[in-house]
Amino acid sequence: MERVLLLVRHAKSSWEEVALPDRARPLAERGLRDAPLMGRRLAHDKVRPDLILSSPACRALSTAHIIAETLGYRPEEIVTDERLYGADVRTLLEVMGELGDELRCVMLFGHDPEFTDLAHRFSGKITRMPTCAVARFTFDAPSWSAAVSQTPLTAVLDYPKKG
């Protein structure tokens, strides 16, 4: 069965309020422009996620909400997962392996360097995920737990300044 994993690094965050805790940092103006742009690109490619999981950090969750709305995914159905904030590759693979096998397309919203590290694990060609980048991997796997140890059939990286 074809399974599609989309790793989305949060859009550009604001550093204007330096006293804010890291988790509370909002999106910057550029982030507020880039997230809808990437959402439109995904919509153009007919991406229809069965599940959106996001880090609880404001900048990641805001990016998820903006892109979800663009894709016709109800923002209130976004699931936050604490493990997507400050995770390592092993933890991200754990999250991926626990996904329900009925899900064909899953989007994860999170942070760098963890998402770059995971993307690089699946494709050596991906060495950097700029803000609001989307890495899309397609697997031919009977389950998500099987997909974590596979090489994807396809690996594509898109980001706002790419196109």
Short mmCIF file of all heavy atoms in Angstrom, two decimals, residues 50-89:
data_model
loop_
_atom_site.label_atom_id
_atom_site.label_comp_id
_atom_site.label_asym_id
_atom_site.label_seq_id
_atom_site.Cartn_x
_atom_site.Cartn_y
_atom_site.Cartn_z
N ASP A 50 -4.80 12.42 5.73
CA ASP A 50 -5.75 11.72 6.61
C ASP A 50 -5.55 12.15 8.04
O ASP A 50 -6.47 12.05 8.86
CB ASP A 50 -5.54 10.20 6.50
CG ASP A 50 -5.79 9.68 5.10
OD1 ASP A 50 -6.82 10.02 4.50
OD2 ASP A 50 -4.91 8.94 4.59
N LEU A 51 -4.34 12.62 8.35
CA LEU A 51 -4.01 13.05 9.70
C LEU A 51 -2.94 14.12 9.65
O LEU A 51 -1.98 14.00 8.87
CB LEU A 51 -3.50 11.86 10.53
CG LEU A 51 -3.02 12.16 11.95
CD1 LEU A 51 -4.17 12.64 12.83
CD2 LEU A 51 -2.34 10.94 12.56
N ILE A 52 -3.12 15.14 10.47
CA ILE A 52 -2.08 16.15 10.67
C ILE A 52 -1.70 16.11 12.14
O ILE A 52 -2.55 16.28 13.01
CB ILE A 52 -2.56 17.56 10.27
CG1 ILE A 52 -2.80 17.64 8.75
CG2 ILE A 52 -1.54 18.61 10.72
CD1 ILE A 52 -3.30 19.00 8.27
N LEU A 53 -0.40 15.89 12.38
CA LEU A 53 0.17 15.91 13.73
C LEU A 53 1.12 17.09 13.80
O LEU A 53 1.92 17.29 12.89
CB LEU A 53 0.98 14.64 14.00
CG LEU A 53 0.26 13.34 14.26
CD1 LEU A 53 1.26 12.20 14.37
CD2 LEU A 53 -0.54 13.43 15.53
N SER A 54 1.05 17.83 14.89
CA SER A 54 1.90 19.01 15.03
C SER A 54 2.57 19.06 16.39
O SER A 54 2.00 18.63 17.40
CB SER A 54 1.08 20.29 14.84
OG SER A 54 1.87 21.44 15.03
N SER A 55 3.74 19.64 16.38
CA SER A 55 4.38 20.05 17.63
C SER A 55 3.44 21.05 18.30
O SER A 55 2.75 21.81 17.62
CB SER A 55 5.72 20.73 17.31
OG SER A 55 6.10 21.60 18.34
N PRO A 56 3.42 21.10 19.63
CA PRO A 56 2.56 22.07 20.31
C PRO A 56 3.12 23.50 20.30
O PRO A 56 2.41 24.43 20.70
CB PRO A 56 2.51 21.54 21.75
CG PRO A 56 3.76 20.75 21.91
CD PRO A 56 4.07 20.17 20.56
N ALA A 57 4.34 23.70 19.81
CA ALA A 57 4.91 25.05 19.76
C ALA A 57 4.07 25.94 18.86
O ALA A 57 3.61 25.52 17.80
CB ALA A 57 6.35 25.00 19.26
N CYS A 58 3.87 27.17 19.28
CA CYS A 58 3.00 28.11 18.57
C CYS A 58 3.33 28.21 17.09
O CYS A 58 2.45 28.15 16.24
CB CYS A 58 3.09 29.48 19.24
SG CYS A 58 2.09 30.75 18.44
N ARG A 59 4.60 28.35 16.74
CA ARG A 59 4.99 28.54 15.35
C ARG A 59 4.67 27.32 14.49
O ARG A 59 4.27 27.46 13.33
CB ARG A 59 6.46 28.93 15.24
CG ARG A 59 7.43 27.90 15.81
CD ARG A 59 8.81 28.51 16.01
NE ARG A 59 9.77 27.56 16.53
CZ ARG A 59 9.92 27.27 17.81
NH1 ARG A 59 9.15 27.84 18.74
NH2 ARG A 59 10.86 26.42 18.20
N ALA A 60 4.83 26.11 15.04
CA ALA A 60 4.51 24.89 14.29
C ALA A 60 3.01 24.72 14.16
O ALA A 60 2.49 24.43 13.08
CB ALA A 60 5.12 23.68 14.99
N LEU A 61 2.29 24.92 15.26
CA LEU A 61 0.85 24.75 15.23
C LEU A 61 0.18 25.81 14.35
O LEU A 61 -0.76 25.50 13.62
CB LEU A 61 0.30 24.80 16.67
CG LEU A 61 -1.11 24.29 16.89
CD1 LEU A 61 -1.33 22.90 16.32
CD2 LEU A 61 -1.42 24.29 18.39
N SER A 62 0.69 27.03 14.36
CA SER A 62 0.15 28.07 13.47
C SER A 62 0.36 27.70 12.01
O SER A 62 -0.53 27.87 11.18
CB SER A 62 0.80 29.42 13.76
OG SER A 62 0.49 29.86 15.06
N THR A 63 1.54 27.19 11.70
CA THR A 63 1.83 26.75 10.32
C THR A 63 0.87 25.63 9.94
O THR A 63 0.31 25.62 8.83
CB THR A 63 3.29 26.27 10.20
OG1 THR A 63 4.17 27.32 10.62
CG2 THR A 63 3.63 25.87 8.78
N ALA A 64 0.67 24.68 10.84
CA ALA A 64 -0.24 23.56 10.58
C ALA A 64 -1.66 24.07 10.32
O ALA A 64 -2.33 23.61 9.39
CB ALA A 64 -0.23 22.58 11.75
N HIS A 65 -2.12 25.01 11.12
CA HIS A 65 -3.47 25.55 10.95
C HIS A 65 -3.64 26.22 9.59
O HIS A 65 -4.65 26.01 8.91
CB HIS A 65 -3.82 26.53 12.08
CG HIS A 65 -4.29 25.87 13.32
ND1 HIS A 65 -5.58 25.90 13.74
CD2 HIS A 65 -3.61 25.12 14.24
CE1 HIS A 65 -5.70 25.21 14.86
NE2 HIS A 65 -4.51 24.73 15.18
N ILE A 66 -2.67 27.03 9.21
CA ILE A 66 -2.76 27.75 7.94
C ILE A 66 -2.79 26.77 6.77
O ILE A 66 -3.63 26.87 5.87
CB ILE A 66 -1.59 28.75 7.79
CG1 ILE A 66 -1.75 29.89 8.81
CG2 ILE A 66 -1.51 29.29 6.37
CD1 ILE A 66 -0.50 30.75 8.97
N ILE A 67 -1.88 25.81 6.78
CA ILE A 67 -1.82 24.84 5.68
C ILE A 67 -3.04 23.93 5.69
O ILE A 67 -3.61 23.63 4.63
CB ILE A 67 -0.49 24.06 5.71
CG1 ILE A 67 0.65 25.02 5.33
CG2 ILE A 67 -0.53 22.86 4.78
CD1 ILE A 67 2.04 24.43 5.37
N ALA A 68 -3.49 23.52 6.86
CA ALA A 68 -4.68 22.67 6.95
C ALA A 68 -5.89 23.36 6.31
O ALA A 68 -6.62 22.73 5.53
CB ALA A 68 -4.97 22.33 8.41
N GLU A 69 -6.10 24.62 6.63
CA GLU A 69 -7.23 25.35 6.06
C GLU A 69 -7.15 25.40 4.55
O GLU A 69 -8.15 25.22 3.86
CB GLU A 69 -7.30 26.76 6.65
CG GLU A 69 -7.80 26.77 8.08
CD GLU A 69 -7.91 28.18 8.65
OE1 GLU A 69 -7.98 29.15 7.88
OE2 GLU A 69 -7.89 28.29 9.89
N THR A 70 -5.95 25.61 4.03
CA THR A 70 -5.75 25.66 2.58
C THR A 70 -6.08 24.32 1.93
O THR A 70 -6.57 24.26 0.81
CB THR A 70 -4.30 26.06 2.24
OG1 THR A 70 -3.99 27.25 2.95
CG2 THR A 70 -4.12 26.30 0.76
N LEU A 71 -5.84 23.23 2.65
CA LEU A 71 -6.08 21.88 2.11
C LEU A 71 -7.49 21.38 2.39
O LEU A 71 -7.82 20.25 2.01
CB LEU A 71 -5.06 20.90 2.70
CG LEU A 71 -3.60 21.17 2.37
CD1 LEU A 71 -2.70 20.16 3.07
CD2 LEU A 71 -3.38 21.12 0.86
N GLY A 72 -8.30 22.18 3.06
CA GLY A 72 -9.65 21.72 3.39
C GLY A 72 -9.69 20.75 4.56
O GLY A 72 -10.66 20.03 4.76
N TYR A 73 -8.64 20.72 5.36
CA TYR A 73 -8.56 19.88 6.55
C TYR A 73 -8.98 20.74 7.73
O TYR A 73 -8.47 21.84 7.91
CB TYR A 73 -7.12 19.39 6.73
CG TYR A 73 -6.91 18.36 7.83
CD1 TYR A 73 -6.88 17.01 7.52
CD2 TYR A 73 -6.73 18.75 9.14
CE1 TYR A 73 -6.67 16.07 8.51
CE2 TYR A 73 -6.52 17.82 10.15
CZ TYR A 73 -6.49 16.48 9.82
OH TYR A 73 -6.28 15.54 10.81
N ARG A 74 -9.91 20.25 8.52
CA ARG A 74 -10.44 21.05 9.62
C ARG A 74 -9.36 21.26 10.68
O ARG A 74 -8.87 20.30 11.28
CB ARG A 74 -11.66 20.37 10.20
CG ARG A 74 -12.80 20.31 9.19
CD ARG A 74 -13.97 19.54 9.68
NE ARG A 74 -14.35 19.99 11.01
CZ ARG A 74 -15.27 19.42 11.74
NH1 ARG A 74 -15.92 18.37 11.29
NH2 ARG A 74 -15.56 19.88 12.94
N PRO A 75 -8.98 22.54 10.93
CA PRO A 75 -7.91 22.82 11.90
C PRO A 75 -8.17 22.23 13.28
O PRO A 75 -7.22 21.85 13.98
CB PRO A 75 -7.86 24.35 11.94
CG PRO A 75 -8.34 24.76 10.60
CD PRO A 75 -9.41 23.75 10.24
N GLU A 76 -9.43 22.13 13.67
CA GLU A 76 -9.72 21.57 15.00
C GLU A 76 -9.42 20.07 15.07
O GLU A 76 -9.41 19.49 16.16
CB GLU A 76 -11.17 21.87 15.43
CG GLU A 76 -12.23 21.31 14.54
CD GLU A 76 -12.64 22.23 13.38
OE1 GLU A 76 -11.95 23.21 13.08
OE2 GLU A 76 -13.68 21.93 12.77
N GLU A 77 -9.17 19.45 13.94
CA GLU A 77 -8.83 18.02 13.92
C GLU A 77 -7.32 17.78 13.96
O GLU A 77 -6.88 16.63 13.97
CB GLU A 77 -9.47 17.34 12.71
CG GLU A 77 -10.98 17.30 12.80
CD GLU A 77 -11.64 16.61 11.62
OE1 GLU A 77 -10.93 16.09 10.73
OE2 GLU A 77 -12.88 16.58 11.59
N ILE A 78 -6.54 18.86 13.96
CA ILE A 78 -5.09 18.72 14.09
C ILE A 78 -4.78 18.17 15.47
O ILE A 78 -5.33 18.63 16.48
CB ILE A 78 -4.38 20.08 13.88
CG1 ILE A 78 -4.58 20.56 12.43
CG2 ILE A 78 -2.89 19.97 14.22
CD1 ILE A 78 -4.14 21.99 12.20
N VAL A 79 -3.93 17.18 15.52
CA VAL A 79 -3.54 16.55 16.78
C VAL A 79 -2.14 17.06 17.15
O VAL A 79 -1.24 17.05 16.31
CB VAL A 79 -3.52 15.01 16.64
CG1 VAL A 79 -3.03 14.36 17.93
CG2 VAL A 79 -4.89 14.50 16.24
N THR A 80 -2.00 17.53 18.37
CA THR A 80 -0.66 17.93 18.81
C THR A 80 0.00 16.74 19.51
O THR A 80 -0.68 15.95 20.18
CB THR A 80 -0.69 19.14 19.77
OG1 THR A 80 -1.50 18.84 20.89
CG2 THR A 80 -1.20 20.38 19.06
N ASP A 81 1.28 16.63 19.30
CA ASP A 81 2.04 15.55 19.92
C ASP A 81 3.30 16.17 20.52
O ASP A 81 4.14 16.71 19.80
CB ASP A 81 2.40 14.48 18.89
CG ASP A 81 2.98 13.22 19.52
OD1 ASP A 81 3.78 13.34 20.48
OD2 ASP A 81 2.66 12.12 19.04
N GLU A 82 3.39 16.10 21.81
CA GLU A 82 4.52 16.68 22.56
C GLU A 82 5.86 16.18 22.04
O GLU A 82 6.86 16.89 22.06
CB GLU A 82 4.35 16.33 24.04
CG GLU A 82 5.19 17.12 24.97
CD GLU A 82 4.84 18.60 25.01
OE1 GLU A 82 3.66 18.96 24.99
OE2 GLU A 82 5.81 19.38 25.07
N ARG A 83 5.87 14.95 21.54
CA ARG A 83 7.13 14.35 21.08
C ARG A 83 7.69 15.05 19.83
O ARG A 83 8.86 14.87 19.51
CB ARG A 83 6.93 12.86 20.80
CG ARG A 83 6.57 12.08 22.06
CD ARG A 83 6.27 10.64 21.75
NE ARG A 83 5.08 10.55 20.90
CZ ARG A 83 4.64 9.43 20.36
NH1 ARG A 83 5.30 8.30 20.55
NH2 ARG A 83 3.55 9.43 19.62
N LEU A 84 6.88 15.85 19.13
CA LEU A 84 7.37 16.53 17.93
C LEU A 84 8.11 17.82 18.27
O LEU A 84 8.64 18.48 17.38
CB LEU A 84 6.21 16.83 16.98
CG LEU A 84 5.50 15.61 16.41
CD1 LEU A 84 4.39 16.03 15.47
CD2 LEU A 84 6.46 14.67 15.72
N TYR A 85 8.17 18.18 19.53
CA TYR A 85 8.91 19.36 19.97
C TYR A 85 10.21 18.90 20.61
O TYR A 85 10.19 18.20 21.63
CB TYR A 85 8.08 20.19 20.97
CG TYR A 85 8.80 21.43 21.45
CD1 TYR A 85 8.83 22.57 20.67
CD2 TYR A 85 9.45 21.45 22.68
CE1 TYR A 85 9.50 23.72 21.10
CE2 TYR A 85 10.12 22.58 23.12
CZ TYR A 85 10.14 23.71 22.33
OH TYR A 85 10.80 24.84 22.75
N GLY A 86 11.34 19.26 20.01
CA GLY A 86 12.63 18.89 20.58
C GLY A 86 12.93 17.41 20.49
O GLY A 86 13.64 16.87 21.33
N ALA A 87 12.42 16.77 19.47
CA ALA A 87 12.60 15.33 19.31
C ALA A 87 13.93 15.02 18.63
O ALA A 87 14.58 15.90 18.08
CB ALA A 87 11.46 14.77 18.46
N ASP A 88 14.29 13.75 18.65
CA ASP A 88 15.41 13.30 17.84
C ASP A 88 14.84 12.35 16.78
O ASP A 88 13.64 12.04 16.79
CB ASP A 88 16.48 12.61 18.70
CG ASP A 88 15.92 11.45 19.52
OD1 ASP A 88 14.86 10.90 19.18
OD2 ASP A 88 16.57 11.07 20.50
N VAL A 89 15.67 11.91 15.87
CA VAL A 89 15.20 11.07 14.77
C VAL A 89 14.54 9.80 15.29
O VAL A 89 13.49 9.38 14.79
CB VAL A 89 16.35 10.74 13.79
CG1 VAL A 89 15.94 9.66 12.80
CG2 VAL A 89 16.78 11.99 13.04
#
